[in-house]
C-alpha cells in the first residue's frame, strides 16, 4: 500500500469519529427476513424453525439479529474516517444478550469505536467497536455487540501496538455434534436487505479489487448461520436461553457453499467449508442458560 493510505488517519482522529445513533422501527417482516436470510425455514417440517419465520404463529426473534438491529450501515466508507474501506475485513464478533429481542417495536443502537491497535506500516490495524441496543420506549438494554475489524490498508499511523485479547481455544477432543448448514447462491443478496450493503458482497468488480474471485458472504451472515446451528444443538431453539457468543472469522464463505459447524458440550465451536476444507470460523464460544433459567427470564 502507498504511504498516504497508511497514514489516512491518526489515532486521535479515528477514536473521536462520531457514529450517529440509529433508531429503527422493527416489524415482524424485518424479524422474519433476518431469520430467512441466515437459513431458518429450510426444513419446512421443522416447526421449531417455523416459529422464527411464520408470521401466523407466535413469532420468536433470532438472538443473532442483534448484530443488524439499528445498524449504522457501512460507515467506514465515509472518506472522513480515513479508512481504506475496500480492504476492510471483519475479524471477530461478540454478542451479549441482556433480554430476548422483540419481534416488533422500536429500538435504538449506539455505536462507538472503543480501541485501535496499530500492527505497523504495511501490516494493517485492528479497530474495536461496540454497539448497544436498547428498547426505544423503555430504555431497557437488550444486547451489546462487539466487533474487531481488520483495517488491512491502514497500518503505521502511530497508534498503540496492543493490547490484543487471547482467543478462546476449542478442546482437542473430537466435537460432540456436527451440523451441516447449506447456504444459497443468492444468500448474500438477501442478507444485504438487513442493512449491510457493502458492495463486496454483491459486486464482482469490488470483490476482485479486494482480492476475491467473486462476492463473499457477509461475515455476520456466517455468524447467523453458525448461531442457528448452536441454537439448535445447545439451546433446543429456545431463544430466551441464548446468553453469549464470541467467534473469530478466519476465512470467507462463498454463497452456495456448506458450513459445517463443529460443537462441543462446553459451548466451544468452529466451522469449516468442506468443499474447500477451510476453517471459516474459529475460537468460538457460546453460552446458553439451562432450560429453567431461560423460562424464568
Amino acid at each position: 500500500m502507498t504511504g498516504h493510505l497508511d497514514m489516512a488517519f491518526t489515532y486521535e482522529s479515528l477514536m473521536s469519529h462520531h457514529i450517529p445513533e440509529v433508531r429503527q422501527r422493527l416489524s415482524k417482516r424485518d424479524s422474519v427476513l433476518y431469520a430467512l436470510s441466515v437459513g431458518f425455514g429450510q426444513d419446512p417440517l421443522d416447526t421449531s424453525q417455523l416459529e422464527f419465520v411464520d408470521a401466523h404463529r407466535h413469532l420468536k426473534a433470532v438472538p443473532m439479529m442483534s448484530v443488524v438491529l439499528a445498524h449504522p450501515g457501512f460507515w467506514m466508507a465515509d472518506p472522513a474516517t480515513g479508512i481504506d474501506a475496500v480492504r476492510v475485513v471483519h475479524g471477530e464478533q461478540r454478542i451479549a444478550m441482556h433480554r430476548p429481542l422483540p419481534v416488533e417495536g422500536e429500538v435504538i443502537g449506539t455505536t462507538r469505536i472503543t480501541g485501535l491497535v496499530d500492527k505497523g506500516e504495511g501490516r494493517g490495524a485492528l479497530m474495536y467497536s461496540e454497539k448497544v441496543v436498547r428498547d426505544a420506549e423503555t430504555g431497557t438494554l437488550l444486547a451489546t455487540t462487539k466487533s474487531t475489524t481488520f483495517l488491512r490498508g491502514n497500518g503505521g499511523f502511530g497508534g498503540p501496538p496492543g493490547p490484543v485479547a487471547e482467543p478462546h481455544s476449542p478442546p482437542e477432543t473430537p466435537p460432540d455434534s456436527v451440523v451441516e448448514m447449506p447456504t444459497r447462491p443468492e444468500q448474500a443478496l438477501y442478507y444485504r436487505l438487513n442493512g449491510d450493503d457493502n458492495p463486496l458482497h454483491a459486486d464482482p468488480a469490488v470483490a476482485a479489487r479486494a482480492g476475491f474471485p467473486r462476492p463473499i458472504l457477509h461475515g455476520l451472515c456466517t455468524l447467523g448461520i453458525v448461531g442457528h446451528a448452536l441454537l439448535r444443538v445447545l439451546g433446543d431453539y429456545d431463544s430466551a436461553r441464548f446468553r453469549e457468543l464470541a467467534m473469530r472469522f478466519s476465512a470467507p464463505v462463498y454463497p452456495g457453499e456448506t458450513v459445517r459447524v463443529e460443537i462441543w458440550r462446553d459451548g466451544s465451536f468452529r466451522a469449516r467449508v468442506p468443499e474447500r476444507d477451510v476453517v471459516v470460523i474459529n475460537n468460538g464460544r457460546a453460552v446458553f442458560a439451562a432450560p429453567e433459567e431461560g423460562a424464568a427470564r
Side-chain angles (χ1 to χ4, degrees):
M1 290 301 297
T2 57
H4 78 278
L5 277 179
D6 278 344
M7 297 299 292
F9 59 77
T10 65
Y11 177 83
E12 291 78 14
S13 71
L14 191 53
M15 284 296 296
S16 62
H17 180 76
H18 175 67
I19 304 168
E21 179 181 272
V22 176
R23 297 177 73 98
Q24 178 183 354
R25 172 62 64 177
L26 176 67
S27 69
K28 288 183 178 181
R29 184 185 181 92
D30 297 323
S31 296
V32 169
L33 172 63
Y34 176 81
L36 290 170
S37 75
V38 295
F40 282 79
Q42 289 192 6
D43 182 355
L45 298 180
D46 186 345
T47 55
S48 295
Q49 292 188 43
L50 290 178
E51 291 177 350
F52 296 91
V53 297
D54 182 359
H56 295 287
R57 296 171 182 262
H58 180 68
L59 274 179
K60 297 189 293 188
V62 176
M64 295 79 72
M65 185 172 63
S66 56
V67 298
V68 302
L69 284 184
H71 183 64
F74 191 43
W75 60 267
M76 287 171 274
D78 181 352
T81 65
I83 293 173
D84 181 1
V86 175
R87 302 188 67 202
V88 164
V89 175
H90 201 150
E92 298 170 321
Q93 183 68 45
R94 295 175 178 269
I95 299 173
M97 296 300 302
H98 309 292
R99 295 288 188 276
L101 296 176
V103 296
E104 58 184 339
E106 189 172 20
V107 295
I108 298 175
T110 306
T111 303
R112 65 188 181 98
I113 300 168
T114 59
L116 290 168
V117 171
D118 189 351
K119 297 174 73 67
E121 186 169 356
R123 300 179 61 197
L126 298 176
M127 180 179 68
Y128 301 106
S129 59
E130 175 188 273
K131 181 184 70 175
V132 174
V133 181
R134 297 180 181 274
D135 182 282
E137 182 176 350
T138 65
T140 301
L141 179 61
L142 299 173
T144 302
T145 69
K146 297 182 179 183
S147 302
T148 303
T149 306
F150 184 27
L151 310 180
R152 296 189 295 165
N154 291 103
F157 58 90
V164 177
E166 285 294 319
H168 172 75
S169 297
E172 296 183 2
T173 57
D176 298 299
S177 300
V178 177
V179 184
E180 302 271 344
M181 306 294 288
T183 70
R184 298 177 58 88
E186 74 280 16
Q187 192 152 353
L189 302 177
Y190 286 124
Y191 190 84
R192 293 179 91 226
L193 298 176
N194 293 306
D196 189 343
D197 56 359
N198 184 342
L200 176 64
H201 308 293
D203 189 330
V206 173
R209 290 203 300 273
F212 300 109
R214 57 191 175 98
I216 63 175
L217 201 61
H218 302 68
L220 290 181
C221 185
T222 304
L223 175 146
I225 293 164
V226 171
H228 179 185
L230 295 166
L231 189 61
R232 179 190 302 175
V233 173
L234 299 179
D236 195 26
Y237 281 117
D238 183 353
S239 55
R241 292 173 54 194
F242 185 105
R243 292 292 188 270
E244 297 177 23
L245 183 69
M247 61 173 64
R248 173 171 287 187
F249 302 100
S250 52
V253 175
Y254 293 100
E257 294 182 322
T258 301
V259 178
R260 178 179 293 160
V261 187
E262 302 170 350
I263 305 171
W264 285 263
R265 291 191 189 95
D266 70 349
S268 298
F269 64 91
R270 66 172 168 242
R272 66 178 69 243
V273 168
E275 291 94 334
R276 292 181 286 127
D277 193 27
V278 172
V279 174
V280 295
I281 297 291
N282 212 347
N283 308 108
R285 183 173 183 271
V287 177
F288 284 79
E292 59 275 11
E293 293 179 46
R297 198 172 184 184

